[in-house]
Amino acid sequence: MIFAARMALLALLYAFLGLVAWLVWRDVSRGEPEQAEPSARAGARLVVVRGEESGLRAGQTFLLQTVTTIGRDLENDIVVADTYTSGRHARIERRDGRWWLEDLGATNPTRLNGHPLPPMDPVPLDPGDVIRVGLTEFKFRP
């Protein structure tokens, strides 16, 4: 009886570890760049211009969803792992046929073309705009 209980406990332990490994893999892979060529894709995207400090490579491309969050937390759509980036730093949202950038009250403000954004006050994005989050810079491509 004790042997059966130990085996059941061991099976539960392995199932738990497998679940944790799967969740970590899912969160890490969510922040990976798209592999297709940018010219072959439709839709708006952010292209990394500078991101060595955050582990991102220049040229990496992220497709934008209707609402895309950027920050250090793994729950964000784009994870920027540098110490100057807040957990939930910025949000890009498609509304009324335009793309809007909003600083979410980050300690280091989100910058658009070199100018700091006021917190919680969305501004429209134009093609070629440069967005700076922490030490990382992205170029907006609609």
Side-chain angles (χ1 to χ4, degrees), residues 12-141:
L12 284 172
L13 178 64
Y14 279 117
F16 174 75
L17 291 175
L19 177 64
V20 168
W22 178 77
L23 289 172
V24 168
W25 174 82
R26 185 189 68 176
D27 286 343
V28 169
S29 67
R30 195 185 315 174
E32 290 297 315
E34 297 292 326
Q35 297 299 320
E37 291 297 315
S39 59
R41 288 193 291 265
R45 57 197 176 274
L46 290 182
V47 179
V48 177
V49 175
R50 189 176 129 217
E52 301 81 27
E53 297 87 358
S54 63
L56 301 175
R57 291 176 288 119
Q60 281 183 309
T61 302
F62 297 90
L63 288 177
L64 296 178
Q65 303 168 16
T66 304
V67 176
T68 301
T69 57
I70 304 170
R72 198 171 56 217
D73 288 342
L74 293 177
E75 297 169 357
N76 290 293
D77 300 303
I78 300 174
V79 177
V80 178
D82 73 53
T83 56
Y84 293 94
T85 301
S86 295
R88 290 187 43 85
H89 200 100
R91 174 175 44 227
I92 298 176
E93 185 174 357
R94 178 117 173 124
R95 257 189 344 229
D96 303 323
R98 291 210 64 180
W99 290 97
W100 297 81
L101 173 65
E102 180 179 4
D103 181 271
L104 298 176
T107 305
N108 294 310
T110 304
R111 295 182 173 269
L112 179 62
N113 299 320
H115 303 287
L117 296 180
M120 312 308 265
D121 187 18
V123 296
L125 288 172
D126 292 316
D129 278 348
V130 175
I131 300 165
R132 183 172 178 164
V133 174
L135 298 174
T136 305
E137 290 183 355
F138 299 93
K139 185 167 277 203
F140 174 69
R141 305 276 181 181

